[in-house]
Amino acid sequence: MAVLCCRCLIAIVEVLMPPEYYTNTLLASQVDQRVLKDILAEKIPRLHAHFEHHQIDLSLITFNWFLTVFVDNAPVELSFRIWDSFLYEGSKVLFRFALALFKLNEEELLAIDNTMALFNCSRGVAHKSLDLKRLSHIAFNDMNPFPMKNITAKRAVHTATVKAEMQELENIRSACQRSYTFHSSQNTERGAASDEEG
């Protein structure tokens, strides 16, 4: 049984999810959050505009949904439904159900005009959405067309962007490290010179 579970986990990480989803940089995980934002703008434009108006960072809500495939963020019945679809269709399902959750609660979210209240309500949509039949209908019918090639293309664009941003941050970190090392050595030399003069 343990071997079977291990093989299942390996298949999820290496086959069903994009490469570098669970690496130390979480590169593909970051990319998918940007892809989700793009698709939200296409499929549910009013809600996307509402989030933008209130400067809601969607990834603070949905990052963990994707990383854990909703296990930590949804009731058991909903988690089972998502996992059934995920094991059959792959990571595309994460986008389907994330969008369906927002669509199902769209009117309630649009009615909220306080940023903190909107954020808190958005975080809780997975726990409130227990109409599984309706949610599944939205995910697999109302959100169509939902071609995987569209997701793949968006992933490619955002992967290049995120990699460039990571490289820029690494360059800044390296420059700061060099500057710190240089100033530390200078201070050490000054201290040694002062000791000799004294």
Side-chain angles (χ1 to χ4, degrees):
M1 184 65 176
V3 173
L4 182 61
C5 290
C6 184
R7 286 179 179 170
C8 184
L9 180 60
I10 290 170
I12 290 166
V13 172
E14 296 184 354
V15 179
L16 293 177
M17 300 300 269
E20 298 189 70
Y21 219 84
Y22 298 103
T23 59
N24 59 343
T25 62
L26 298 172
L27 171 65
S29 301
Q30 294 185 58
V31 167
D32 270 3
Q33 293 308 301
R34 299 184 186 206
V35 174
L36 177 63
K37 187 176 179 182
D38 287 352
I39 301 175
L40 182 71
E42 295 169 4
K43 300 287 187 182
I44 320 175
R46 286 195 308 152
L47 186 58
H48 174 265
H50 192 54
F51 284 147
E52 290 291 295
H53 175 72
H54 286 279
Q55 299 181 322
I56 299 293
D57 183 351
L58 199 63
S59 68
L60 295 177
I61 299 163
T62 58
F63 193 90
N64 205 46
W65 292 2
F66 279 51
L67 207 60
T68 65
V69 193
F70 289 88
V71 167
D72 284 348
N73 308 94
V76 173
E77 298 90 342
L78 176 55
S79 294
F80 286 166
R81 179 68 59 92
I82 293 171
W83 271 84
D84 281 346
S85 303
F86 169 70
L87 292 173
Y88 178 75
E89 194 175 346
S91 61
K92 177 180 177 180
V93 164
L94 302 177
F95 296 97
R96 284 191 180 278
F97 276 99
L99 293 168
L101 286 167
F102 285 124
K103 184 63 179 177
L104 186 62
N105 295 276
E106 181 180 16
E107 295 307 320
E108 180 183 356
L109 294 171
L110 288 173
I112 300 172
D113 201 35
N114 176 277
T115 299
M116 187 55 67
L118 177 60
F119 178 77
N120 289 333
C121 187
S122 299
R123 283 181 61 194
V125 293
H127 291 283
K128 297 190 303 181
S129 303
L130 293 178
D131 188 342
L132 299 184
K133 187 174 181 181
R134 187 175 171 207
L135 187 68
S136 294
H137 181 82
I138 294 171
F140 292 98
N141 293 279
D142 295 356
M143 291 296 111
N144 286 335
F146 213 90
M148 188 62 197
K149 65 181 180 181
N150 186 32
I151 294 173
T152 302
K154 290 180 186 300
R155 278 174 168 166
V157 170
H158 286 299
T159 296
T161 304
V162 172
K163 280 184 175 179
E165 290 172 359
M166 285 181 170
Q167 185 58 56
E168 185 178 352
L169 286 173
E170 178 58 27
N171 292 342
I172 292 170
R173 188 197 67 77
S174 297
C176 289
Q177 184 64 41
R178 286 193 301 271
S179 176
Y180 173 79
T181 303
F182 174 75
H183 289 299
S184 293
S185 63
Q186 277 196 327
N187 289 337
T188 302
E189 289 171 5
R190 287 192 190 116
S194 296
D195 289 343
E196 288 176 4
E197 290 172 2

